[in-house]
Amino acid sequence: MYRAVGHKALSLSIQPNDEAAVSSMLAATKIEVRFRDGRQQTLVDGVDVSGEIRTPAVSRAASDVSALPAVRRALVAIQRQIAAGQPLVLDGRDIGTYVLPDAPYKFFLTAAAEERARRRLLELKDKGAENVDFAAVLAEMKYRDEQDAGREMAPLCRAEDAILVDTTG
């Protein structure tokens, strides 16, 4: 969902860290997440943007918008509403600590930044990206990690009752 907001902000030439502009944009935005034909789809204003939200630029924009309290409050409300209506698995950087702190099962997945960057680079190349390199993907990943861990509202951290799963190897 944060990627969807970041993507829309970029597409409208809105700076992802401009809280007033992003909040105004978000008030006029409909974000949906649905499961169709065996895959998850993320829709913004009825348009499937699933294939466009995993680029390095959108990753950075997602990190920027996720630090904005107004955006976080709006999207967390949607996430909690979805979770209240059905059993599901959610992934995100604050699901176990902020979005659903009372969830019965919590896993904190981690891997070395270099390994995550390697995986993301392969994912991008599989989707047809040509002008991406490992150093750039790694730098974006480290930027996002630092920003998300250091944000004031709902920072990236492991919930005390989450099972740690290191997938590096």
Side-chain angles (χ1 to χ4, degrees):
M1 291 181 148
Y2 294 97
R3 288 175 177 278
V5 173
H7 177 271
K8 183 169 181 181
L10 292 175
S11 71
L12 295 175
S13 299
I14 295 172
Q15 291 298 316
N17 59 0
D18 181 339
E19 187 162 15
V22 172
S23 294
S24 178
M25 177 202 76
L26 186 56
T29 300
K30 182 177 181 183
I31 297 175
E32 299 173 83
V33 178
R34 65 183 182 196
F35 193 73
R36 288 246 170 98
D37 300 324
R39 70 178 189 90
Q40 179 179 300
Q41 296 176 324
T42 302
L43 290 89
V44 176
D45 300 326
V47 177
D48 185 357
V49 296
S50 306
E52 302 166 26
I53 59 173
R54 294 282 176 192
T55 66
V58 171
S59 292
R60 180 179 281 252
S63 183
D64 289 342
V65 300
S66 75
L68 304 175
V71 172
R72 187 154 291 282
R73 281 190 295 274
L75 295 187
V76 167
I78 295 169
Q79 292 165 346
R80 287 177 177 160
Q81 181 180 24
I82 292 169
Q86 61 192 327
L88 61 122
V89 174
L90 293 177
D91 73 288
R93 293 181 160 217
D94 65 350
I95 300 298
T97 56
Y98 182 66
V99 177
L100 299 172
D102 297 325
Y105 306 103
K106 298 178 195 170
F107 301 91
F108 188 84
L109 298 174
T110 190
E114 292 77 12
E115 177 60 18
R116 291 183 294 124
R118 185 190 69 77
R119 293 173 189 167
R120 178 58 52 85
L121 184 65
L122 289 174
E123 178 186 5
L124 291 169
K125 287 184 177 181
D126 283 348
K127 291 182 178 181
E130 297 177 8
N131 295 327
V132 292
D133 66 28
F134 178 80
V137 172
L138 179 60
E140 286 294 325
M141 191 151 296
K142 287 181 176 181
Y143 169 84
R144 184 171 181 217
D145 288 349
E146 287 177 25
Q147 182 161 335
D148 291 356
R151 69 178 172 239
E152 194 169 316
M153 184 178 184
L156 163 64
C157 65
R158 177 181 167 196
E160 289 183 17
D161 57 342
I163 298 169
L164 179 65
V165 181
D166 188 329
T167 67
T168 301

